[in-house]
Amino acid sequence: MAKTALITGVTGQDGAYLSELLLNKGYKVVGAERRTSTRNRQRLDELNISDDIVFTDFDLADQGNMERTLETHQPDEVYNLAAQSFVALSFEQPVMTGDITGLAVARLLEAIRTVNPKIRFYQASTSEMFGKVQAVPQDETTPFYPRSPYGVAKLYAHWITANYRESYGLLACSGILFNHESPLRGVEFVTRKITLAVARIKHGLQKELRLGNLDAKRDWGYAKEYVEGMYLMQQQETPSDYVLATGETHTVGEFVEAAFTAADLAWRDYVVIDPAFVRPAEVDLLLGNPGKAKRELKWAPKTAFRELVALMVEADLKRVDR
Ligand code: GDR
């Protein structure tokens, strides 16, 4: 019997790649989607998998809706990838972020516990929980110190997931994922903002690129590889939490330089520093140690930093060309 996976946040970058991976493995994929006035399935269309997914209306604010969704679709695995995931916005909308990124995970765990406690649960935790880092590199044992309402909300979600595992024996795990990027990344995030700008500048459609802090360091990997880690975590007999990262860190400035260089442009001619993009509190340095995932999941990142930048620039050059 084919397994059924329910994916919240199915229309996002990770939802799209995870859907593709699970469909290739023969899963029935139920895409939990928030109803909005405009259709938002471009990423799934781009991967040509929209027709293979069973969509269902879903809202992280609505407990009854969650329970009915689980009863109707009877998933074996739930992947909670939905969230208000833009760090900068969380400073403007901390309460909404707390509700949807944090508290909603308790709703979902309650729904699982009520409907079928055998459902396996994956929570999208994040390196943003390390925030003002207490050790370098960061692994599963590093203390947390979030630096944004988003990080605080994700930390609640992380601990409530562990708590339901320990209190009720739910098969729940969290992937502590460091930044993971791709051509499907939303344009509000810095990597995609940069690669799209490079492509538009190259085609004469844009004159400058306005950015905030270029000194922040991130451990950037390729999203398509990170969703494999999510799947592997769900297949472990005993659920546990895992860091997924590359073990390399680069500044935003280095990403800028690599992206402009990939299109034969000199970044200094185009980049303007704009305080509007500087955050009230910053996460200065993230560097993950994926040792546990390597040992226990046999997971390892393959795409190196410059390769990732180049593939994103190339994809945006093609898009803009079209
Ligand atoms: P991040 O990603 O906050 O790390 O969280 P983002 O790409 O938004 O920022 C990375 C770094 O770049 C700096 N920066 C800018 N960022 C944006 N978005 N726009 C700018 O113009 C800009 N200029 C400089 C930021 O200050 C920051 O230091 C991402 C999200 O996907 C989270 O949901 C996820 O949990 C983590 O990655 C892992």
Side-chain angles (χ1 to χ4, degrees), residues 64-121:
N65 168 245
M66 285 179 178
E67 290 183 11
R68 283 190 300 280
T69 302
L70 296 179
E71 271 158 9
T72 304
H73 296 283
Q74 298 285 332
D76 301 281
E77 298 171 8
V78 170
Y79 293 84
N80 184 38
L81 311 185
Q84 189 307 91
S85 66
F86 186 29
V87 174
L89 181 70
S90 79
F91 288 99
E92 282 303 315
Q93 302 187 350
V95 177
M96 181 277 278
T97 303
D99 187 40
I100 296 306
T101 302
L103 198 55
V105 179
R107 287 187 201 111
L108 195 42
L109 288 163
E110 271 296 289
I112 288 175
R113 186 180 155 219
T114 307
V115 174
N116 176 7
K118 297 232 158 22
I119 294 171
R120 287 185 164 268
F121 179 72

Short mmCIF file of all heavy atoms in Angstrom, two decimals, residues 64-121:
data_model
loop_
_atom_site.label_atom_id
_atom_site.label_comp_id
_atom_site.label_asym_id
_atom_site.label_seq_id
_atom_site.Cartn_x
_atom_site.Cartn_y
_atom_site.Cartn_z
N GLY A 64 -10.36 22.80 14.14
CA GLY A 64 -11.36 21.85 13.63
C GLY A 64 -11.02 21.42 12.21
O GLY A 64 -11.11 20.24 11.84
N ASN A 65 -10.58 22.38 11.42
CA ASN A 65 -10.17 22.11 10.04
C ASN A 65 -9.01 21.12 10.00
O ASN A 65 -8.96 20.20 9.19
CB ASN A 65 -9.81 23.44 9.37
CG ASN A 65 -9.10 23.30 8.04
OD1 ASN A 65 -7.94 23.67 7.92
ND2 ASN A 65 -9.77 22.73 7.05
N MET A 66 -8.09 21.27 10.93
CA MET A 66 -6.94 20.34 10.99
C MET A 66 -7.40 18.93 11.28
O MET A 66 -6.97 17.97 10.66
CB MET A 66 -5.98 20.76 12.12
CG MET A 66 -5.16 21.97 11.80
SD MET A 66 -4.12 22.34 13.23
CE MET A 66 -3.24 23.74 12.59
N GLU A 67 -8.27 18.80 12.25
CA GLU A 67 -8.73 17.46 12.64
C GLU A 67 -9.49 16.79 11.50
O GLU A 67 -9.27 15.62 11.19
CB GLU A 67 -9.60 17.54 13.90
CG GLU A 67 -8.75 17.90 15.11
CD GLU A 67 -9.50 17.94 16.43
OE1 GLU A 67 -10.66 17.49 16.48
OE2 GLU A 67 -8.92 18.46 17.40
N ARG A 68 -10.36 17.55 10.85
CA ARG A 68 -11.12 16.96 9.73
C ARG A 68 -10.19 16.58 8.59
O ARG A 68 -10.38 15.55 7.95
CB ARG A 68 -12.21 17.94 9.25
CG ARG A 68 -13.42 17.99 10.16
CD ARG A 68 -14.56 18.77 9.53
NE ARG A 68 -14.18 20.16 9.25
CZ ARG A 68 -14.17 21.13 10.16
NH1 ARG A 68 -14.52 20.89 11.41
NH2 ARG A 68 -13.82 22.36 9.84
N THR A 69 -9.17 17.40 8.36
CA THR A 69 -8.21 17.09 7.28
C THR A 69 -7.52 15.75 7.56
O THR A 69 -7.37 14.91 6.68
CB THR A 69 -7.16 18.22 7.16
OG1 THR A 69 -7.83 19.44 6.92
CG2 THR A 69 -6.17 17.94 6.04
N LEU A 70 -7.10 15.54 8.81
CA LEU A 70 -6.44 14.28 9.16
C LEU A 70 -7.41 13.11 9.05
O LEU A 70 -7.05 12.02 8.57
CB LEU A 70 -5.86 14.36 10.57
CG LEU A 70 -4.75 15.39 10.80
CD1 LEU A 70 -4.29 15.37 12.25
CD2 LEU A 70 -3.54 15.14 9.88
N GLU A 71 -8.65 13.31 9.49
CA GLU A 71 -9.65 12.23 9.40
C GLU A 71 -9.94 11.86 7.96
O GLU A 71 -10.03 10.70 7.60
CB GLU A 71 -10.95 12.66 10.11
CG GLU A 71 -10.93 12.31 11.59
CD GLU A 71 -11.90 13.15 12.41
OE1 GLU A 71 -12.72 13.89 11.82
OE2 GLU A 71 -11.80 13.06 13.65
N THR A 72 -10.06 12.87 7.10
CA THR A 72 -10.40 12.62 5.70
C THR A 72 -9.27 11.92 4.96
O THR A 72 -9.51 10.96 4.22
CB THR A 72 -10.71 13.96 4.98
OG1 THR A 72 -11.74 14.62 5.71
CG2 THR A 72 -11.15 13.74 3.53
N HIS A 73 -8.04 12.39 5.16
CA HIS A 73 -6.94 11.90 4.31
C HIS A 73 -6.09 10.81 4.96
O HIS A 73 -5.29 10.17 4.29
CB HIS A 73 -6.06 13.08 3.87
CG HIS A 73 -6.81 14.05 3.00
ND1 HIS A 73 -7.08 13.80 1.69
CD2 HIS A 73 -7.38 15.25 3.29
CE1 HIS A 73 -7.76 14.82 1.18
NE2 HIS A 73 -7.97 15.71 2.14
N GLN A 74 -6.25 10.61 6.25
CA GLN A 74 -5.55 9.50 6.95
C GLN A 74 -4.06 9.40 6.57
O GLN A 74 -3.60 8.34 6.13
CB GLN A 74 -6.24 8.16 6.63
CG GLN A 74 -7.68 8.07 7.09
CD GLN A 74 -7.80 7.88 8.59
OE1 GLN A 74 -6.92 7.32 9.25
NE2 GLN A 74 -8.87 8.39 9.17
N PRO A 75 -3.31 10.47 6.72
CA PRO A 75 -1.90 10.41 6.32
C PRO A 75 -1.08 9.50 7.24
O PRO A 75 -1.40 9.34 8.42
CB PRO A 75 -1.42 11.86 6.46
CG PRO A 75 -2.32 12.44 7.51
CD PRO A 75 -3.65 11.77 7.33
N ASP A 76 -0.01 8.90 6.66
CA ASP A 76 0.96 8.17 7.47
C ASP A 76 1.98 9.15 8.05
O ASP A 76 2.51 8.95 9.13
CB ASP A 76 1.71 7.15 6.60
CG ASP A 76 0.75 6.15 5.98
OD1 ASP A 76 0.35 5.24 6.70
OD2 ASP A 76 0.39 6.32 4.80
N GLU A 77 2.29 10.18 7.26
CA GLU A 77 3.30 11.16 7.66
C GLU A 77 2.76 12.57 7.43
O GLU A 77 2.13 12.83 6.40
CB GLU A 77 4.58 10.98 6.81
CG GLU A 77 5.22 9.61 6.99
CD GLU A 77 6.36 9.34 5.99
OE1 GLU A 77 6.76 10.26 5.25
OE2 GLU A 77 6.82 8.18 5.97
N VAL A 78 3.02 13.46 8.37
CA VAL A 78 2.69 14.87 8.20
C VAL A 78 3.99 15.66 8.25
O VAL A 78 4.83 15.45 9.13
CB VAL A 78 1.74 15.37 9.32
CG1 VAL A 78 1.61 16.89 9.28
CG2 VAL A 78 0.37 14.71 9.20
N TYR A 79 4.17 16.54 7.28
CA TYR A 79 5.33 17.43 7.25
C TYR A 79 4.82 18.85 7.44
O TYR A 79 4.11 19.37 6.57
CB TYR A 79 6.06 17.33 5.90
CG TYR A 79 6.71 15.99 5.65
CD1 TYR A 79 5.98 14.92 5.14
CD2 TYR A 79 8.06 15.79 5.90
CE1 TYR A 79 6.57 13.69 4.88
CE2 TYR A 79 8.67 14.57 5.66
CZ TYR A 79 7.92 13.52 5.14
OH TYR A 79 8.52 12.30 4.91
N ASN A 80 5.17 19.48 8.55
CA ASN A 80 4.70 20.85 8.77
C ASN A 80 5.72 21.87 8.28
O ASN A 80 6.61 22.29 9.01
CB ASN A 80 4.39 21.09 10.25
CG ASN A 80 3.81 22.48 10.45
OD1 ASN A 80 3.03 22.96 9.61
ND2 ASN A 80 4.21 23.16 11.50
N LEU A 81 5.54 22.27 7.03
CA LEU A 81 6.46 23.24 6.42
C LEU A 81 5.84 24.62 6.35
O LEU A 81 6.48 25.58 5.94
CB LEU A 81 6.84 22.78 5.00
CG LEU A 81 7.31 21.33 4.86
CD1 LEU A 81 7.76 21.06 3.43
CD2 LEU A 81 8.42 21.00 5.84
N ALA A 82 4.58 24.74 6.73
CA ALA A 82 3.90 26.04 6.65
C ALA A 82 4.30 26.91 7.82
O ALA A 82 4.48 26.43 8.93
CB ALA A 82 2.39 25.84 6.67
N ALA A 83 4.45 28.19 7.57
CA ALA A 83 4.77 29.15 8.63
C ALA A 83 4.76 30.55 8.04
O ALA A 83 4.76 30.71 6.81
CB ALA A 83 6.16 28.88 9.20
N GLN A 84 4.76 31.55 8.91
CA GLN A 84 5.17 32.89 8.48
C GLN A 84 6.69 32.82 8.61
O GLN A 84 7.23 32.86 9.70
CB GLN A 84 4.53 33.94 9.39
CG GLN A 84 4.70 35.38 8.94
CD GLN A 84 6.12 35.81 8.66
OE1 GLN A 84 6.62 35.71 7.51
NE2 GLN A 84 6.83 36.28 9.67
N SER A 85 7.39 32.69 7.48
CA SER A 85 8.80 32.29 7.54
C SER A 85 9.79 33.41 7.21
O SER A 85 10.99 33.16 7.16
CB SER A 85 9.04 31.12 6.59
OG SER A 85 8.85 31.55 5.26
N PHE A 86 9.29 34.62 7.03
CA PHE A 86 10.17 35.73 6.69
C PHE A 86 10.56 36.47 7.99
O PHE A 86 9.72 37.08 8.64
CB PHE A 86 9.48 36.66 5.69
CG PHE A 86 10.37 37.76 5.16
CD1 PHE A 86 11.74 37.60 5.05
CD2 PHE A 86 9.81 38.96 4.76
CE1 PHE A 86 12.55 38.63 4.57
CE2 PHE A 86 10.59 39.99 4.27
CZ PHE A 86 11.97 39.83 4.18
N VAL A 87 11.83 36.38 8.34
CA VAL A 87 12.32 36.92 9.61
C VAL A 87 12.00 38.41 9.74
O VAL A 87 11.50 38.87 10.77
CB VAL A 87 13.83 36.66 9.76
CG1 VAL A 87 14.38 37.35 11.01
CG2 VAL A 87 14.13 35.16 9.79
N ALA A 88 12.28 39.18 8.70
CA ALA A 88 12.09 40.63 8.77
C ALA A 88 10.63 40.99 9.06
O ALA A 88 10.34 41.86 9.89
CB ALA A 88 12.55 41.29 7.46
N LEU A 89 9.69 40.29 8.43
CA LEU A 89 8.26 40.57 8.65
C LEU A 89 7.86 40.27 10.09
O LEU A 89 6.96 40.92 10.63
CB LEU A 89 7.40 39.76 7.67
CG LEU A 89 5.89 40.01 7.81
CD1 LEU A 89 5.52 41.41 7.32
CD2 LEU A 89 5.08 38.96 7.07
N SER A 90 8.53 39.32 10.71
CA SER A 90 8.15 38.94 12.08
C SER A 90 8.33 40.09 13.07
O SER A 90 7.66 40.14 14.09
CB SER A 90 8.89 37.68 12.53
OG SER A 90 10.22 37.95 12.94
N PHE A 91 9.22 41.03 12.76
CA PHE A 91 9.37 42.20 13.63
C PHE A 91 8.16 43.13 13.51
O PHE A 91 7.81 43.83 14.44
CB PHE A 91 10.66 42.97 13.29
CG PHE A 91 11.92 42.25 13.71
CD1 PHE A 91 12.65 41.51 12.79
CD2 PHE A 91 12.37 42.30 15.03
CE1 PHE A 91 13.81 40.85 13.17
CE2 PHE A 91 13.53 41.63 15.41
CZ PHE A 91 14.25 40.90 14.48
N GLU A 92 7.55 43.14 12.34
CA GLU A 92 6.36 43.97 12.10
C GLU A 92 5.09 43.27 12.57
O GLU A 92 4.12 43.91 12.97
CB GLU A 92 6.22 44.28 10.59
CG GLU A 92 7.15 45.36 10.08
CD GLU A 92 6.98 46.66 10.84
OE1 GLU A 92 5.84 47.08 11.07
OE2 GLU A 92 8.02 47.24 11.24
N GLN A 93 5.06 41.94 12.46
CA GLN A 93 3.85 41.17 12.80
C GLN A 93 4.20 40.04 13.77
O GLN A 93 4.05 38.85 13.45
CB GLN A 93 3.20 40.63 11.53
CG GLN A 93 2.83 41.75 10.56
CD GLN A 93 2.03 41.29 9.35
OE1 GLN A 93 1.88 40.11 9.10
NE2 GLN A 93 1.53 42.24 8.60
N PRO A 94 4.65 40.42 14.97
CA PRO A 94 5.12 39.39 15.92
C PRO A 94 4.00 38.49 16.45
O PRO A 94 4.24 37.32 16.71
CB PRO A 94 5.73 40.22 17.06
CG PRO A 94 5.09 41.57 16.95
CD PRO A 94 4.80 41.79 15.50
N VAL A 95 2.80 39.04 16.60
CA VAL A 95 1.73 38.25 17.20
C VAL A 95 1.21 37.22 16.19
O VAL A 95 1.06 36.03 16.51
CB VAL A 95 0.61 39.16 17.72
CG1 VAL A 95 -0.54 38.34 18.28
CG2 VAL A 95 1.16 40.11 18.79
N MET A 96 0.98 37.67 14.96
CA MET A 96 0.57 36.73 13.91
C MET A 96 1.64 35.65 13.73
O MET A 96 1.34 34.46 13.63
CB MET A 96 0.32 37.48 12.60
CG MET A 96 -0.14 36.63 11.45
SD MET A 96 1.20 35.80 10.55
CE MET A 96 1.75 37.12 9.48
N THR A 97 2.90 36.07 13.72
CA THR A 97 3.99 35.10 13.56
C THR A 97 3.99 34.10 14.73
O THR A 97 4.14 32.89 14.52
CB THR A 97 5.35 35.82 13.48
OG1 THR A 97 5.31 36.75 12.40
CG2 THR A 97 6.49 34.84 13.26
N GLY A 98 3.78 34.60 15.93
CA GLY A 98 3.73 33.71 17.10
C GLY A 98 2.61 32.70 16.97
O GLY A 98 2.77 31.52 17.33
N ASP A 99 1.48 33.14 16.44
CA ASP A 99 0.33 32.25 16.32
C ASP A 99 0.56 31.18 15.24
O ASP A 99 0.37 29.99 15.48
CB ASP A 99 -0.92 33.08 16.00
CG ASP A 99 -2.17 32.21 16.02
OD1 ASP A 99 -2.27 31.35 16.92
OD2 ASP A 99 -3.03 32.37 15.14
N ILE A 100 0.99 31.61 14.06
CA ILE A 100 1.05 30.70 12.91
C ILE A 100 2.34 29.88 12.89
O ILE A 100 2.34 28.70 12.55
CB ILE A 100 0.91 31.53 11.60
CG1 ILE A 100 -0.47 32.19 11.56
CG2 ILE A 100 1.16 30.67 10.37
CD1 ILE A 100 -1.65 31.24 11.73
N THR A 101 3.44 30.50 13.29
CA THR A 101 4.73 29.79 13.26
C THR A 101 4.93 28.99 14.54
O THR A 101 5.58 27.95 14.52
CB THR A 101 5.87 30.83 13.07
OG1 THR A 101 5.62 31.53 11.85
CG2 THR A 101 7.23 30.18 13.01
N GLY A 102 4.36 29.48 15.65
CA GLY A 102 4.56 28.82 16.94
C GLY A 102 3.37 28.00 17.40
O GLY A 102 3.34 26.78 17.29
N LEU A 103 2.35 28.71 17.89
CA LEU A 103 1.21 28.06 18.54
C LEU A 103 0.50 27.04 17.64
O LEU A 103 0.01 26.00 18.12
CB LEU A 103 0.22 29.13 19.00
CG LEU A 103 -0.80 28.74 20.05
CD1 LEU A 103 -0.12 28.17 21.29
CD2 LEU A 103 -1.64 29.95 20.43
N ALA A 104 0.47 27.32 16.35
CA ALA A 104 -0.22 26.42 15.42
C ALA A 104 0.34 25.00 15.48
O ALA A 104 -0.38 24.03 15.20
CB ALA A 104 -0.12 26.96 14.00
N VAL A 105 1.59 24.87 15.85
CA VAL A 105 2.19 23.54 15.91
C VAL A 105 1.58 22.74 17.07
O VAL A 105 1.37 21.53 16.96
CB VAL A 105 3.73 23.63 16.02
CG1 VAL A 105 4.36 22.26 16.11
CG2 VAL A 105 4.27 24.38 14.80
N ALA A 106 1.23 23.43 18.15
CA ALA A 106 0.51 22.75 19.23
C ALA A 106 -0.87 22.30 18.74
O ALA A 106 -1.33 21.20 19.06
CB ALA A 106 0.38 23.68 20.44
N ARG A 107 -1.52 23.14 17.95
CA ARG A 107 -2.82 22.74 17.38
C ARG A 107 -2.68 21.48 16.55
O ARG A 107 -3.47 20.54 16.66
CB ARG A 107 -3.38 23.86 16.47
CG ARG A 107 -3.89 25.06 17.19
CD ARG A 107 -4.57 26.04 16.22
NE ARG A 107 -4.58 27.34 16.84
CZ ARG A 107 -3.87 28.39 16.43
NH1 ARG A 107 -3.16 28.34 15.33
NH2 ARG A 107 -3.90 29.52 17.10
N LEU A 108 -1.66 21.47 15.72
CA LEU A 108 -1.47 20.34 14.82
C LEU A 108 -1.13 19.07 15.60
O LEU A 108 -1.64 17.98 15.32
CB LEU A 108 -0.37 20.70 13.81
CG LEU A 108 -0.19 19.86 12.56
CD1 LEU A 108 -1.50 19.48 11.90
CD2 LEU A 108 0.70 20.61 11.56
N LEU A 109 -0.29 19.20 16.61
CA LEU A 109 0.06 18.04 17.43
C LEU A 109 -1.16 17.54 18.21
O LEU A 109 -1.37 16.33 18.35
CB LEU A 109 1.20 18.40 18.39
CG LEU A 109 2.56 18.58 17.71
CD1 LEU A 109 3.53 19.33 18.61
CD2 LEU A 109 3.17 17.22 17.32
N GLU A 110 -1.98 18.47 18.68
CA GLU A 110 -3.22 18.08 19.36
C GLU A 110 -4.13 17.32 18.39
O GLU A 110 -4.75 16.31 18.76
CB GLU A 110 -3.96 19.33 19.87
CG GLU A 110 -3.55 19.75 21.27
CD GLU A 110 -3.89 18.70 22.31
OE1 GLU A 110 -5.07 18.52 22.62
OE2 GLU A 110 -2.95 18.05 22.81
N ALA A 111 -4.19 17.81 17.16
CA ALA A 111 -5.05 17.15 16.16
C ALA A 111 -4.54 15.73 15.91
O ALA A 111 -5.32 14.78 15.83
CB ALA A 111 -5.07 17.97 14.87
N ILE A 112 -3.23 15.57 15.81
CA ILE A 112 -2.65 14.23 15.57
C ILE A 112 -2.93 13.32 16.75
O ILE A 112 -3.36 12.17 16.60
CB ILE A 112 -1.13 14.36 15.30
CG1 ILE A 112 -0.91 14.97 13.91
CG2 ILE A 112 -0.44 13.00 15.41
CD1 ILE A 112 0.54 15.26 13.57
N ARG A 113 -2.73 13.85 17.93
CA ARG A 113 -2.95 13.06 19.15
C ARG A 113 -4.42 12.61 19.24
O ARG A 113 -4.71 11.49 19.65
CB ARG A 113 -2.60 13.96 20.34
CG ARG A 113 -2.62 13.29 21.66
CD ARG A 113 -2.24 14.32 22.72
NE ARG A 113 -2.81 13.92 23.99
CZ ARG A 113 -3.32 14.76 24.88
NH1 ARG A 113 -3.31 16.06 24.66
NH2 ARG A 113 -3.81 14.31 26.00
N THR A 114 -5.33 13.47 18.81
CA THR A 114 -6.75 13.15 18.89
C THR A 114 -7.17 12.18 17.79
O THR A 114 -7.86 11.20 18.04
CB THR A 114 -7.59 14.46 18.72
OG1 THR A 114 -7.12 15.40 19.67
CG2 THR A 114 -9.07 14.21 18.90
N VAL A 115 -6.72 12.44 16.57
CA VAL A 115 -7.22 11.67 15.42
C VAL A 115 -6.48 10.34 15.28
O VAL A 115 -7.10 9.29 15.09
CB VAL A 115 -7.11 12.49 14.12
CG1 VAL A 115 -7.47 11.67 12.89
CG2 VAL A 115 -7.98 13.74 14.21
N ASN A 116 -5.14 10.38 15.34
CA ASN A 116 -4.37 9.14 15.19
C ASN A 116 -2.93 9.36 15.64
O ASN A 116 -2.09 9.85 14.88
CB ASN A 116 -4.40 8.67 13.72
CG ASN A 116 -3.53 7.45 13.50
OD1 ASN A 116 -3.00 6.87 14.45
ND2 ASN A 116 -3.37 7.07 12.24
N PRO A 117 -2.62 8.98 16.87
CA PRO A 117 -1.27 9.23 17.41
C PRO A 117 -0.16 8.44 16.73
O PRO A 117 1.01 8.63 17.06
CB PRO A 117 -1.40 8.85 18.89
CG PRO A 117 -2.65 8.06 19.01
CD PRO A 117 -3.53 8.37 17.85
N LYS A 118 -0.53 7.59 15.77
CA LYS A 118 0.51 6.83 15.04
C LYS A 118 1.06 7.63 13.84
O LYS A 118 2.03 7.21 13.20
CB LYS A 118 -0.08 5.51 14.53
CG LYS A 118 -0.54 4.58 15.63
CD LYS A 118 0.07 3.21 15.46
CE LYS A 118 0.14 2.35 16.71
NZ LYS A 118 -0.78 2.65 17.80
N ILE A 119 0.42 8.75 13.52
CA ILE A 119 0.90 9.57 12.40
C ILE A 119 2.29 10.10 12.74
O ILE A 119 2.51 10.63 13.83
CB ILE A 119 -0.06 10.76 12.14
CG1 ILE A 119 -1.42 10.25 11.66
CG2 ILE A 119 0.54 11.74 11.14
CD1 ILE A 119 -2.49 11.34 11.58
N ARG A 120 3.20 9.97 11.80
CA ARG A 120 4.55 10.52 12.00
C ARG A 120 4.53 12.01 11.68
O ARG A 120 3.89 12.43 10.72
CB ARG A 120 5.56 9.81 11.10
CG ARG A 120 5.85 8.41 11.57
CD ARG A 120 6.93 7.74 10.74
NE ARG A 120 7.43 6.57 11.44
CZ ARG A 120 8.47 6.58 12.27
NH1 ARG A 120 9.16 7.68 12.48
NH2 ARG A 120 8.85 5.48 12.89
N PHE A 121 5.26 12.79 12.47
CA PHE A 121 5.20 14.25 12.34
C PHE A 121 6.59 14.84 12.19
O PHE A 121 7.50 14.52 12.95
CB PHE A 121 4.53 14.85 13.59
CG PHE A 121 4.43 16.35 13.56
CD1 PHE A 121 3.53 16.99 12.70
CD2 PHE A 121 5.23 17.14 14.38
CE1 PHE A 121 3.45 18.38 12.67
CE2 PHE A 121 5.15 18.53 14.35
CZ PHE A 121 4.26 19.14 13.49
#
